[in-house]
Amino acid sequence: MRAIWALCRASLFRKKLQNGLIALLILLAALLLGTSATVLSNTDNLFNDVHKRTNGAHQILTITKGLHDPQQLYQWWNEQEGAAASAPVPFRYLSGVSYKGEELPNLYVMMMDTPAQSPSVDRLLFADGTGENAPKAGTAWIPTSLAYTQGIKPGDILSFKTGTGVFELQVSAVVIDLPFGAPFSTTSRIWMNHNDYMQNMEGQKGSDSYMLGLRFQDYERQGEYWAGFEQHFGIPYLEGKVEFEEITAFYLILNRIIGFVMIGLGIVMMFIALFTIGFTISDAILSNYRTIGILKSTGLSSARIVGAYALEYALLATAAIIPGLVISRFASALILNNSLSVLKTSDSNALALQEGEWLAIAAGMFLLLLVIGCVMSFSQKIKSVQPAQAIRYGMSEAQSGRMARRLGTSSGMTFGRWPIKAVIAFKHIVKNGKSSTLVVALAAVTTAVLVFSCVLLNSIVSIKQTAAQWGYDSSDISVSFYNKEAYSSEDFEALVKGDERVKDAGWLTLLNGVLPLEKGSQGSASISLSVLDGSYDNLGFTVLKGSNPVLKNEMAIGINVASRLGKEVGDTMEIYIDGRKHTMLVSGIYQAIANMSNSARIMADALNMSGVTGNHDADVAFINLHDSRIADQYVAELNGKYPQSVTAATQQTLLDSEFKEATGVLIVPLGLLALLFVGVTFMIIYSVCRISVWKESGTYGIYKSLGMTNASIRGAITLGVAVLTLIGAGLGIAIGIFGLPGLLKSLLLDYGIAKLPLILPPFGIAVASVISAAAASFGAWHASRWLARTSPRILIIE
């Protein structure tokens, strides 16, 4: 054991650079794997913890059409054992919310009549401000999703437009409002004092809508309750319903993307570390072949020499994995606090990590076992070392013979036919086959990470170009009608259709569709239904299969609806709309991140809603202009003409307001990953090239003695690495565009996206490739700098 420890200690102190690099690679692999494990395990747990503390709802029912009696619903649900319901809360929809004199874009609010007593289901948590039973007169509570994105704090004033004017409310508290407070939320609940609600909202035309939350002891049995509901009332539930999956979706999506990407890159980093270890051990055996022969001739067994290598790398791995896992806790906390800031409360400025520690430790132990296994595998070559041959030749007799034959044989590549730099570069590549393979692999991985980060961020920033592929329209302008009783739909439609600047327009009504109870299922299912008076194709809506609906008996459905029902283009399906049953032909299947593709599209003709007289029910109007450059001007005109009833905005404004948060959350981890791999590429190539240059120092000493300059020799070495890097960069571009996005496919499918819409930036991809090649080339150039400081005589002697 003493001999093993002596060999191990000598190797640790003799190869400080190599050992430090390998330890760093193992640390980074542990960091990535530990961070991904902690992020993924804590994302669900942090949400579930808040959901439990608020006695959160599993489903939110909204009664806006008067198709059900809210009190009857509340009474029936409270009679069900294992289910609980909150009392119906009156609310009104509004748009046109202003802060500091500027209207907040793409924001739709539900003005809630706050109950006098805290509800038993779907309670609020106070993140900032004083917690009371209800807001005081003249004040309101707003959700963290609105407050944090807009920088609103308690004491600030918000202005709200109604059909009769504008009223103001002071923010008295910021609350965690779980069902409508997720990241990217465009709908917020504003909790008002009862008297303020009666004064400002009851005077408006129209009637109150109602909302109640449902919570189940066993959520998996909710289908049984809805089946009982249909049997009791004789009809399925026909109004709006927000499912638990929709409530949780946008709390979890970004962290799941980050976590899965980190897992993939952590595995890649792990394989890079293992490959480097294998390369280093193989090189060490060749370099110390004579020493190993001497040790074996003195009686030291092969198993003990292998044990020395195993002990060395076990110590390195342990020393690297422990700090890697410790740092991963801080990295995980940084990511979670950035992406789930909407769940922070006043008593904690940071989200506390709850789980994932043992999972991260398990990942670290697995990494340690892999390292030891890799070392044991590559060091088995020691068993084949014959002491006599090793002492005499410094290698096996067969290897010595092959080398002699190569030296005696003239190769096809000569200095006379090729530039000398190219010859040196070529020989450097061929003679160091394993290191050349490692350089190509590193360049490929680094380029893939850079390209993927660039493509993903560019696709989000430039989402207007692919809005239709995310399930949105591609119109120039969107107009929302938040106070329909305060404007004339006939006048608005006549104004738009009579304007020569308008190319085409469409009126969209959002309804709730109910898929009837099918054989073998439990309860009916609700889907979001888009009813359009206009052309889906003209407004830019796309489908994956088939076509958008054109006839009144046609319907396009989201991919998750098609998957759940097993429907394809050409099939028929039944759906309840406003309490009436319709049989529709599936004309197309589309993807949409909104509502997680649990939605459908039909024509207004299907409900006899087409024409000027029917568009008073429209929720949104889409407008295309002949010249999209005047969209901002046209928006200003519409907002000025209908200040109390509509909110117009360009599509770019709406998309920016919704996806800028995603860009902000993703740019930090993706940027750090890119920098990490660039740094790793530089360090590994520096180490590998330094080893190979040292091994060939005698050859380079001869080159210098023949008159070659230091710059020429170093340039030739760098040229060889640059060629390998370009080969790797080509592979990396393909992996970054086609391979890494595939990691997200199964994840995004749950959110209603089957094909990730990517926008490839040629300039960005080129820059990513250049950065990768520059890091590798600089590593090679820097590794050979000692040649310039060493005389030819010393190089030849060494």
Side-chain angles (χ1 to χ4, degrees), residues 628-700:
S628 59
R629 293 173 297 180
I630 65 170
D632 289 325
Q633 174 189 339
Y634 198 78
V635 162
E637 292 180 14
L638 291 178
N639 286 329
K641 186 172 180 62
Y642 302 96
Q644 308 299 331
S645 53
V646 308
T647 296
T650 63
Q651 189 203 44
Q652 186 67 59
T653 300
L654 299 178
L655 292 173
D656 287 346
S657 65
E658 188 164 354
F659 285 92
K660 68 178 181 181
E661 189 175 351
T663 305
V665 171
L666 287 174
I667 195 170
V668 173
L670 290 179
L672 289 176
L673 285 173
L675 289 174
L676 188 67
F677 274 86
V678 170
V680 166
T681 297
F682 167 78
M683 289 184 290
I684 293 179
I685 292 179
Y686 169 80
S687 176
V688 168
C689 287
R690 179 154 184 160
I691 293 171
S692 61
V693 169
W694 177 80
K695 287 165 59 178
E696 298 294 322
S697 58
T699 302
Y700 297 130

Side-chain angles (χ1 to χ4, degrees), residues 103 166 196 339 442 491 538 623 669 699-700 712 732 761:
E103 187 169 316
V166 178
D196 290 337
S339 59
L442 279 172
D491 176 66
N538 290 345
I623 300 174
T699 302
Y700 297 130
S712 297

